[in-house]
Amino acid sequence: MTTQELEKRLKQLESINSELRRKNILLRHELSKMQCKRKVYSLGIDLSMKAEKVIFEAIKAEYLYFEEWMLATVSRKNEYVVCRQLFQSLMHDFKIASLKKIGMKCGGRDHSTNLHACRTVHNLAETDREFKRKYESILNSVEQGLYTPELLGKTTS
């Protein structure tokens, strides 16, 4: 084999490697979501209202200015949009409510707006380091918050 053929093959292998890394990240995220769903289903408890509050509080911990009225506003200010899209994405990712119900909670938006919000959040998490840090922190807070004794209605002794 010539040097050019080896370089060409090396580039092919590098692209395959990067694609496999990307798929690995996606599969780990899917596994995490499936594990969370399994915990929720095994508990047999309807957590939708309490989970909504957990998600809201987790976002508020990272974005201190976030208020509940910002979900339903029609404003396009970046501060409002980012928080609203995070809320929509997390509600959808954790399967808390249907797209229609999430849209109604967020000011009467339709399902396509919610799907766009999910795509936007995931794309931002891939490209923006600061956003990714905040997003992972919010995800950890939500996952921990969904399974606290207070949320499950148990008393600690």
Side-chain angles (χ1 to χ4, degrees):
M1 293 184 104
T2 66
T3 307
Q4 291 175 345
E5 291 173 344
L6 288 173
E7 288 176 358
K8 182 178 178 182
R9 184 66 180 151
L10 181 62
K11 286 181 183 179
Q12 289 173 342
L13 290 173
E14 286 174 347
S15 67
I16 290 170
N17 186 28
S18 66
E19 181 65 20
L20 288 174
R21 284 183 183 175
R22 188 186 67 80
K23 287 182 180 180
N24 185 21
I25 292 169
L26 292 174
L27 287 173
R28 278 191 281 149
H29 180 70
E30 288 298 317
L31 178 64
S32 170
K33 287 193 318 188
M34 287 173 56
Q35 289 170 341
C36 289
K37 284 186 225 173
R38 187 180 76 210
K39 287 179 185 176
V40 171
Y41 292 144
S42 68
L43 295 172
I45 299 172
D46 178 25
L47 298 174
S48 62
M49 293 304 289
K50 294 177 183 177
E52 183 179 313
K53 183 177 179 181
V54 168
I55 290 172
F56 178 81
E57 292 299 324
I59 296 171
K60 187 162 180 67
E62 286 296 322
Y63 297 93
L64 300 175
Y65 56 83
F66 184 49
E67 297 293 334
E68 193 166 356
W69 62 267
M70 291 180 187
L71 292 174
T73 186
V74 295
S75 174
R76 293 185 182 178
K77 287 185 176 179
N78 192 44
E79 301 88 34
Y80 301 170
V81 172
V82 170
C83 294
R84 184 170 53 233
Q85 287 178 337
L86 274 168
F87 182 82
Q88 291 170 318
S89 177
L90 291 170
M91 290 285 285
H92 179 259
D93 288 348
F94 285 99
K95 307 293 185 219
I96 304 300
S98 67
L99 291 173
K100 184 176 182 177
K101 289 181 182 176
I102 296 169
M104 293 308 294
K105 178 73 179 169
C106 294
R109 290 168 170 79
D110 62 356
H111 69 283
S112 61
T113 306
N114 292 327
L115 292 175
H116 172 72
C118 294
R119 271 193 311 273
T120 301
V121 166
H122 294 297
N123 287 340
L124 271 174
E126 288 179 4
T127 57
D128 186 356
R129 287 182 184 170
E130 180 65 22
F131 183 82
K132 182 178 182 175
R133 184 194 61 76
K134 288 182 178 183
Y135 180 66
E136 288 175 351
S137 172
I138 292 169
L139 271 178
N140 289 337
S141 297
V142 170
E143 288 172 356
Q144 290 173 358
L146 285 178
Y147 307 110
T148 59
E150 305 85 47
L151 185 63
L152 299 176
K154 298 178 184 175
T155 57
T156 56
S157 41

